[in-house]
Amino acid sequence: MTTALPAAAALHEQAARLDADDPLAGLRARFLLPPDIVYLDGNSLGPLPAAVPAALKDVVRRQWATGLIGSWNAAGWWEAPQRVGDTIGTLIGAAPGQTIAGDSTSVQLFTALDAAAALRPDRPLLVTDPGHFPTDRYLADAVARRRDLKVRHVPPADLPAFLATEGEQVAVVSCSPVDFRTGELHDMRALTRAAHDAGALALWDLCHAAGALPLEVDALGVDLAVGCGYKFLSGGPGAPAFLYVARRHHTALETPLPGWTGHADPFALTPAYEPAPGIARARIGTPPILSLLALEAALTAFDGVDLAQVRAKSLSLTGFFLRCADALLAPLGFASVTPADPGRRGSQVALRHPHARGLVAALAEHGVIADMRAPDLLRFGVNALYTSHGDLLTAALRLRELTRNASYAPAPPSAGPVT
C-alpha cells in the first residue's frame, strides 16, 4: 500500500518531470534573466533578450557614431519598418509585404480603426469589446467622433448573435483574441467569419497573443491587426508596435496620419500627399531607429522556434499552475478566473484575491515578479521560451507562504503601479 505524497511534494515531482522533458528549455539562455528572479510579467514587459545589448552597441557606436546619416542607406535604416514588420509577420501568419513596424501601439490602433472605418463608409457602427484594454476603447470613441459613427460595446461571446441581427450596420469589429485581465482566449476564426458574414471588417489587437501562440491572420482572413513589441516579443519598454493590413485592402487603404515617409516619393517633398504602394503607405514619421533595431534584435530569440511547440508548452505551464493554485492556494481564498479548458486560455493565469495588490508587491520582494489588475486580480504571465514549471511552483509556494503569514501590506485599489 502506498501513501499519497503531500500536494507540494507531488507538484515538485511533476514540475521536475515536465521540465526534464521540455524541448524548449535551452531557449532560456536567449534571455538575460536575473538568476534569483522568477519572472512572470512578460505579458506586460518581456525580459531583455541576450542579442539586444550588442546590437544596440553596434547601432550607437558604429552605425550612428561613425556612419552618421549615411546609415539610412548603408545600414538599412530606411527599410527597417518593412523589414522588421515582415519578421513579425512570420510570427502572426502573414505573408511578406503586409506588416509594418514603427510608432506606438496607440498610433497603430488609431490608424487601423480609422482606416477600417474608411473602407466601410456607409456603415454607422463601430463595434468593440466592453472588456477591451482601455486604450482600445478610448480610441474607438475617438475614431467614432471623428467619423460620426456610433460605438457599440458587445462582448465576444455575444458577437455572432449581434452581427446576425445588426451586422449590416457594422463597419468594423475590434477585439483581442486574449482577454488582458483573465487570459481567456476567444475564437478568432469564428468571430472573423461572423464579421465577414455581416459584411464588416475584422480588426484584432494581438498585443497579448503575438509571440505567445500560433496566429494565422492570412489564413483566417483577418482584415487588419495591431500589436505591441514589448510583451511576448520582448522588444523593450515602449518598443515599436506593428500594423498588419491584408493585401486585398492596400489599394484602397487611407490612413488618417499621412506622414512623409508613407509618400510614394518621400524625398521629392511635394506639396500634395500621394500614398506609397502597398503597406509602405502606413508609414508615418521618421522611424525610431534605436528602438526599432532593438526590437529586430529581440526577435532573433524566435529563430528556429516552432510556435506550435511554444503553444504546447504554454498550455502545459498554465495547466500546471492552475493545478498548483487549486492544491495550494484555493484553501487560502484564491479563485482562478482563467478558463481550465486549454482551448479557451491564452498564455497567462489570473487569480482573484481581495489583497491582490499587496500580495503582488510582497511577491516582488521575495523574488517573484507578477502583476495585478484592479481591483482584485493577480496575473501570472508565462512565456514558453524562458518560463519553467519549477518557476510556477516557486511562485505558488511563495504566494501560499505570504498569504498564510499575512506578509503583505494591503493597498488601496487606486494606488499606482506595483512593479
Side-chain angles (χ1 to χ4, degrees), residues 42-186:
N43 53 334
S44 287
L45 175 66
L48 176 63
V52 170
L56 275 180
K57 180 179 179 181
D58 180 67
V59 172
V60 171
R61 297 202 172 180
R62 182 182 65 84
Q63 297 178 34
W64 181 11
T66 303
L68 296 169
I69 198 168
S71 286
W72 283 104
N73 294 319
W77 288 0
W78 183 258
E79 297 80 14
Q82 287 102 312
R83 187 177 68 245
V84 178
D86 280 343
T87 301
I88 295 171
T90 64
L91 298 177
I92 64 171
Q98 300 176 100
T99 311
I100 196 95
D103 299 295
S104 70
T105 310
S106 298
V107 169
Q108 301 287 31
L109 183 58
F110 177 74
T111 296
L113 282 166
D114 192 85
L119 289 167
R120 293 291 185 270
D122 299 325
R123 291 174 168 238
L125 295 184
L126 192 163
V127 175
T128 192
D129 179 3
H132 231 340
F133 190 76
T135 297
D136 294 75
R137 290 183 278 115
Y138 303 158
L139 289 172
D141 290 341
V143 169
R145 289 192 298 270
R146 165 180 159 86
R147 292 266 175 195
D148 196 24
L149 303 174
K150 293 183 179 180
V151 175
R152 295 290 293 273
H153 297 99
V154 183
D158 299 336
L159 266 173
F162 173 82
L163 290 168
T165 57
E166 300 188 48
E168 73 280 356
Q169 300 294 307
V170 177
V172 56
V173 176
S174 174
C175 292
S176 172
V178 181
D179 187 301
F180 78 98
R181 301 155 304 175
T182 68
E184 180 178 4
L185 182 66
H186 304 301

Side-chain angles (χ1 to χ4, degrees), residues 22-24 27 214 304-315 384:
D22 176 15
L24 302 180
L27 299 182
V305 173
D306 182 348
L307 283 173
Q309 285 189 321
V310 169
R311 176 63 172 159
K313 182 181 174 183
S314 170
L315 289 175

Side-chain angles (χ1 to χ4, degrees), residues 9 108 167 211 262-263 278 287 291 333:
Q108 301 287 31
H263 195 283
S291 55

Side-chain angles (χ1 to χ4, degrees), residues 357 372 411-419:
R357 180 173 292 276
M372 63 86 61
S414 60
V418 173
T419 58

Side-chain angles (χ1 to χ4, degrees), residues 208-305:
H208 286 268
L213 59 147
L215 296 165
E216 298 293 340
V217 291
D218 281 353
L220 297 182
V222 169
D223 297 290
L224 303 98
V226 299
C228 66
Y230 48 82
K231 298 184 188 295
F232 291 98
L233 302 185
S234 295
F242 64 88
L243 168 66
Y244 161 88
V245 182
R247 197 180 311 278
R248 61 186 175 276
H249 296 304
H250 287 183
T251 301
L253 184 69
E254 296 179 5
T255 60
L257 300 169
W260 76 281
T261 69
H263 195 283
D265 190 359
F267 295 98
L269 305 177
T270 59
Y273 179 75
E274 179 185 347
I279 194 64
R281 67 180 56 195
R283 294 175 62 137
I284 301 172
T286 304
I289 291 299
L290 296 181
S291 55
L292 192 55
L293 297 187
L295 172 59
E296 183 172 36
L299 292 170
T300 63
F302 289 92
D303 286 355
V305 173

